[in-house]
Amino acid sequence: MAELMENQVFRAFTTYAAIVVLKMVLMGPLTAYFRITRGSFANEEDVARKSEEEKKKLLKAHPDVERVRRCHQNDLENVVPFVLVGLLYALTGPELSSALLHFRIFTGCRLFHTVAYITVLPQPSRGLSYILGMLVICSMGYSVLNTVFLL
């Protein structure tokens, strides 16, 4: 593992993968924050100590909470493939400049996507950041396949 960490591409990958994974993990507490501040809970046990009338008010969906949950779901659908394909890509020995371009674009897209989703920026801002991030994953996947089939 120490030898692998001497590889600049692998170090760059671990840095950017850690950034997007941590961002994704922080969506959980953000969802909890929105649930608490909007008074919107999903489970009976979350409001167990409340009166029946209060329970009816609190056990409901709220648009802001659902927006954060959808953003988190979108992270799960994109960050996990980035980490898996990015790892394979880093292990194929790409040029550092190319790898950095892929990793930085994807990370920037995910950060912007979250800001666009949570602050409700007008489309196509969120959509474009999603598509660009997916293109990065596809580009890395193509590079991996191209490298493997040329061996």
Side-chain angles (χ1 to χ4, degrees), residues 11-36:
R11 284 182 27 200
F13 167 71
T14 58
T15 300
Y16 290 101
I19 290 168
V20 293
V21 167
L22 286 172
K23 189 216 80 64
M24 180 178 67
V25 168
L26 290 174
M27 294 303 292
L30 186 61
T31 302
Y33 168 79
F34 272 81
R35 282 197 181 285
I36 292 165

Side-chain angles (χ1 to χ4, degrees), residues 3-69:
E3 290 177 21
L4 202 50
M5 288 309 288
E6 291 176 14
N7 179 309
Q8 287 184 312
V9 171
F10 189 76
R11 284 182 27 200
F13 167 71
T14 58
T15 300
Y16 290 101
I19 290 168
V20 293
V21 167
L22 286 172
K23 189 216 80 64
M24 180 178 67
V25 168
L26 290 174
M27 294 303 292
L30 186 61
T31 302
Y33 168 79
F34 272 81
R35 282 197 181 285
I36 292 165
T37 60
R38 304 313 193 263
S40 174
F41 299 92
N43 302 303
E44 187 79 28
E45 64 271 17
D46 297 337
V47 294
R49 296 185 176 159
K50 304 291 183 183
S51 70
E52 289 302 317
E53 187 176 306
E54 286 178 305
K55 285 181 185 180
K56 289 179 185 176
K57 290 179 185 177
L58 296 173
L59 287 174
K60 62 176 172 43
H62 189 282
D64 293 344
V65 174
E66 293 308 309
R67 178 171 287 280
V68 175
R69 289 183 68 233

Side-chain angles (χ1 to χ4, degrees), residues 3 6 18 24 28 31 34 48 51 64 71-72 77-78 81 84-85 101 103 117 126 135-136 139-140:
E3 290 177 21
E6 291 176 14
M24 180 178 67
T31 302
F34 272 81
S51 70
D64 293 344
C71 185
H72 192 184
E77 295 166 357
N78 289 273
L84 295 174
V85 174
L101 185 64
F103 303 155
Y117 219 138
R126 189 180 82 240
L135 288 173
V136 167
S139 174
M140 290 188 304

Side-chain angles (χ1 to χ4, degrees), residues 127-140:
L128 289 174
S129 65
Y130 166 80
I131 290 169
L132 186 55
M134 289 303 293
L135 288 173
V136 167
I137 294 170
C138 291
S139 174
M140 290 188 304

